[in-house]
Amino acid sequence: MIALAVYLVSEAGWSAVDLDLHTGPTLSGWATVGMMAGAIAIVVPYFSGPMLNFGDFARYGRSFGAVKRGNVLGLPVNFLFFLVLTVVCASATVPVFGELITDPIETVERIDAPVAILLGGVTFVTATVGINIVANFIAPAFDFSNVSPQKIGWQAGGMVAAVGSVLLTPWNWYDNADGIRFSLGILGSLIGPLFGILIAGYYVCSRQRIAVDDMYSMSPRGRYWFRNGYNPNAVIAIAAAGIPTILLTLFASVGDYGWFIGCALGFTVFVGLERVRPMIPVLDPTEPGISDGARAWCTCRSSTPTPPRR
């Protein structure tokens, strides 16, 4: 993308690159804010899968600080840098090709150089494989494995995810801009309630206190066995939040904000059910084997002493 941006700007000249891009009427004031909010709302469901399965990635971090640095470098820094490159490339296509081209693949095809087309093709294939491994492979592979860890390993879960992704024919879902927004809206409506329930369960109901050993126990006497291994409050909250959110996405023109609505509903319903019929235990932080997230957050920076220099 850097090479493509440098090439296009060198061909057009920096003075000919106009960063004020739009294809419709010019917006101003609150209309601009609404458009930006809608764009953000579309991006959130796209990242909602990896966000929900964040533990599958953070589990390999060497330290809490390494996880935070990875988040900063991998998301806001890298994301903003890539956005700038995208806008510059799209802006330069107007003076170079005489029209606005927002598809980088089509931009590369317009370059009359076999080497550029070959390198561009390899780049986009590599980028597609990379983002799909992170966003659409690792998370479902762990999900399928966690359904029955004794029978389904991580590799087998990955194969199930890979075959299932082909059977779903995603190329038919994403064949146009409306299809992308519709698919992301439905995805956010389903994942938003799950995220809200997780946040409510950890920060509100359990007060960030977790019995780590019981989290990995299938014993009916474990603290998190609940009822036949499932928390009925969570199951009810998923249905109570997910169904109306999907209906709103389909029929009430709130598709871009489905994740936020579902997250808020899932959070509220689950907290309410836990207040009426508590299922998640509130643990004593002084008890052995209890991880207190609130206390760990405050002491994480000072917990690892700096070795003396020699």
Side-chain angles (χ1 to χ4, degrees):
M1 288 300 297
I2 294 174
L4 181 60
V6 170
Y7 170 79
L8 291 174
V9 172
S10 64
E11 289 290 317
W14 184 253
S15 60
V17 177
D18 184 9
L19 299 182
D20 186 13
L21 300 177
H22 63 86
T23 56
T26 301
L27 301 178
S28 61
W30 287 107
T32 303
V33 176
M35 182 64 67
M36 293 180 62
I40 295 173
I42 293 176
V43 174
V44 171
Y46 178 78
F47 284 104
S48 60
M51 183 166 55
L52 189 66
N53 290 75
F54 181 75
D56 295 331
F57 303 92
R59 65 195 296 183
Y60 299 108
R62 295 183 178 181
S63 65
F64 185 58
V67 173
K68 292 194 295 183
R69 287 192 300 272
N71 283 337
V72 172
L73 296 176
L75 288 175
V77 174
N78 181 65
F79 200 77
L80 289 174
F81 179 70
F82 188 80
L83 285 177
V84 170
L85 289 178
T86 302
V87 173
V88 170
C89 289
S91 301
T93 59
V94 177
V96 174
F97 302 113
E99 61 177 320
L100 176 63
I101 303 175
T102 58
D103 187 348
I105 297 179
E106 184 179 353
T107 302
V108 172
E109 291 177 347
R110 294 289 189 93
I111 300 176
D112 189 17
V115 175
I117 296 177
L118 178 61
L119 292 178
V122 172
T123 300
F124 293 129
V125 168
T126 304
T128 301
V129 172
I131 190 61
N132 276 280
I133 288 176
V134 175
N136 302 321
F137 181 78
I138 294 179
F142 275 110
D143 290 339
F144 285 117
S145 177
N146 291 336
V147 172
S148 180
Q150 299 86 353
K151 300 179 181 179
I152 305 176
W154 186 83
Q155 294 84 353
M159 290 301 300
V160 174
V163 174
S165 65
V166 176
L167 297 178
L168 290 174
T169 64
W171 50 88
N172 292 323
W173 296 26
Y174 293 89
D175 59 348
N176 57 69
D178 291 335
I180 293 175
R181 296 184 65 177
F182 179 80
S183 301
L184 290 178
I186 295 295
L187 180 66
S189 301
L190 293 171
I191 294 182
L194 293 173
F195 188 82
I197 291 170
L198 286 177
I199 296 299
Y202 180 68
Y203 285 99
V204 179
C205 302
S206 69
R207 301 177 185 176
Q208 303 185 53
R209 299 167 188 170
I210 297 294
V212 178
D213 291 344
D214 286 14
M215 290 288 291
Y216 298 92
S217 173
M218 295 296 291
S219 172
R221 292 176 295 180
R223 290 182 175 92
Y224 304 112
W225 178 252
F226 301 121
R227 186 175 299 170
N228 297 323
Y230 297 93
N231 186 339
N233 291 339
V235 176
I236 295 173
I238 290 175
I243 293 175
T245 304
I246 293 176
L247 294 177
L248 288 173
T249 301
L250 292 175
F251 304 109
S253 301
V254 296
D256 295 344
Y257 299 95
W259 186 92
F260 298 93
I261 297 174
C263 182
L265 286 176
F267 183 97
T268 304
V269 173
F270 186 68
V271 170
L273 291 174
E274 284 289 329
R275 296 279 173 83
V276 176
R277 183 182 56 181
M279 298 295 294
I280 296 180
V282 179
L283 307 174
D284 184 357
T286 62
E287 182 181 345
I290 302 301
S291 173
D292 189 349
R295 184 172 57 185
W297 179 271
C298 298
T299 60
C300 63
R301 291 187 176 183
S302 59
S303 60
T304 304
T306 303
R309 294 184 178 180
R310 293 183 179 179

